[in-house]
Amino acid sequence: GCVLGPLIHGLSTLEAYTAVDNEFRHHPDMFMGAYMDDVALRGNSHVVVRAFNIFKEKTTAIGSKVNFGQGKTEVLLGRYENQQDLDFSIASYVAAGIPLENIKLHPDNSDNDPIYYGYMHLGVPRGSIEYQRAAFDAQLDKKEIATRKISALDKVQDQWVLLNWVTKHKFTYLLR
């Protein structure tokens, strides 16, 4: 890609981020975090849905689109005290275009195992403690397999290249 890609992307989406920031400004318990094309919105469902619709409208106007694929646009609903509020929140997200299978219910509001209540954001697991532990265990397993490959190499120089330029960076990424 072009080295100016991040700058151009940032400038083209600035209006969308500013509009969401303006929406959240009146709600101090709301949060928006963004890095390039990854965005996280956190807060009350009705405000988050409104902000998401604003963001979707502004980015669609510049020719961009939201990826609604599994693992791309995820909703973690917090704990709800009554079923009516939960149903309303789910319906609001679905009306905003988010597929029902991408909306994850809090374990206290469902029979789902807490290990499935989460998503990966910029490589970092978010959600229940059980989900986070399972995600870190899976990443550690991958790193262990990569580390075992080092000893399978015959030449020390090849081992050094794999360790220094590939494997060590994966461990620092895992520990951030």
Side-chain angles (χ1 to χ4, degrees):
C2 175
V3 295
L4 294 176
L7 175 65
I8 293 169
H9 176 78
L11 291 173
S12 67
T13 56
L14 181 62
E15 185 179 343
Y17 291 128
T18 302
V20 171
D21 184 52
N22 289 337
E23 180 68 27
F24 278 5
R25 195 163 287 176
H26 307 292
H27 306 277
D29 57 335
M30 308 304 283
F31 169 80
M32 177 187 71
Y35 177 76
M36 299 299 295
D37 62 342
D38 288 323
V39 181
L41 303 174
R42 184 183 71 220
N44 296 328
S45 286
H46 66 282
V47 180
V48 169
V49 168
R50 197 165 54 241
F52 177 75
N53 283 328
I54 290 168
F55 182 80
K56 188 172 65 168
E57 175 188 315
K58 297 286 186 187
T59 54
T60 301
I62 60 167
S64 187
K65 66 178 187 171
V66 175
N67 183 347
F68 289 108
Q70 188 80 33
K72 298 298 181 181
T73 301
E74 298 282 336
V75 174
L76 290 186
L77 290 177
R79 187 178 307 117
Y80 281 79
E81 297 301 321
N82 65 65
Q83 190 65 39
Q84 184 179 3
D85 289 345
L86 176 61
D87 292 343
F88 181 77
S89 288
I90 293 169
S92 297
Y93 284 109
V94 170
I98 296 173
L100 189 57
E101 59 270 14
N102 292 12
I103 301 172
K104 298 181 181 176
L105 304 180
H106 191 277
D108 289 351
N109 293 114
S110 72
D111 295 330
N112 298 337
D113 189 335
I115 201 167
Y116 300 111
Y117 182 69
Y119 70 103
M120 297 295 284
H121 184 74
L122 298 174
V124 178
R126 304 286 186 192
S128 70
I129 295 297
E130 295 85 352
Y131 178 85
Q132 293 175 25
R133 285 185 183 139
F136 279 128
D137 286 346
Q139 288 182 15
L140 281 173
D141 288 345
K142 288 180 189 176
K143 304 312 180 244
E144 182 182 351
I145 291 167
T147 305
R148 278 195 229 135
K149 290 181 181 180
I150 293 172
S151 60
L153 296 173
D154 295 330
K155 297 180 183 175
V156 174
Q157 288 175 323
D158 293 340
Q159 291 174 344
W160 174 251
V161 168
L162 185 62
L163 177 65
N164 192 46
W165 296 107
V166 178
T167 308
K168 84 173 185 185
H169 300 293
K170 293 182 184 257
F171 280 104
T172 56
Y173 176 79
L174 178 64
L175 297 173
R176 58 188 178 126

